[in-house]
Amino acid sequence: QVQLVESGGGLVQPGGSLRLSCAASGSIFSINAMGWYRQAPGKERELVAVSTTGGSSNYADSVKGRFTISRDNAKNTVYLQMNSLRPEDTAVYYCKLDYKNVYRFTRVYWGQGTQVTVSS
């Protein structure tokens, strides 16, 4: 069993900031990557940012320079610092975990999502 606990979503005015966090626990042997995706109403889920255990990070073009992904490997936690938020950032944000389970099989696990609303 794997658990992902997401927190930090909410309502913020345009130009404001939010910090999302996602903590993984359970039957995890190792983590390959942790990342954030989002899905706005009527749209497909899209990549926001991903951080690999090897140390690389990738961002969607739409959030480059505004969002920063970081990891606390000791806590199996990933953070997403979101600055200069825009109304178009409004979406449900999902944490994604790419990991190896205790049997060394590669698996993917999604969090339940946290709502981010940017509105005045």
Side-chain angles (χ1 to χ4, degrees):
Q1 295 284 352
V2 171
Q3 297 82 38
L4 289 178
V5 178
E6 300 163 328
S7 63
L11 173 64
V12 63
Q13 292 186 342
S17 298
L18 283 174
R19 188 191 194 212
L20 306 182
S21 64
C22 173
S25 62
S27 303
I28 299 169
F29 173 73
S30 64
I31 293 177
N32 299 326
M34 296 184 77
W36 292 95
Y37 289 69
R38 67 186 181 188
Q39 188 166 18
K43 295 188 177 181
E44 294 187 353
R45 191 172 297 188
E46 63 177 3
L47 169 72
V48 177
V50 63
S51 172
T52 70
T53 301
S56 64
S57 299
N58 292 305
Y59 296 89
D61 287 342
S62 59
V63 307
K64 284 180 180 177
R66 300 188 298 123
F67 291 9
T68 303
I69 191 168
S70 61
R71 293 260 300 272
D72 184 335
N73 292 326
K75 296 181 179 180
N76 286 347
T77 299
V78 64
Y79 304 96
L80 185 69
Q81 179 65 43
M82 304 185 294
N83 298 329
S84 302
L85 282 161
R86 305 167 180 169
E88 53 264 39
D89 295 317
T90 296
V92 178
Y93 284 69
Y94 295 92
C95 178
K96 181 186 177 186
L97 173 68
D98 290 87
Y99 70 105
K100 284 186 170 62
N101 64 15
V102 295
Y103 304 104
R104 312 300 192 264
F105 293 125
T106 297
R107 292 288 184 265
V108 172
Y109 195 83
W110 290 90
Q112 292 188 329
T114 184
Q115 177 70 46
V116 172
T117 302
V118 185
S119 175
S120 55

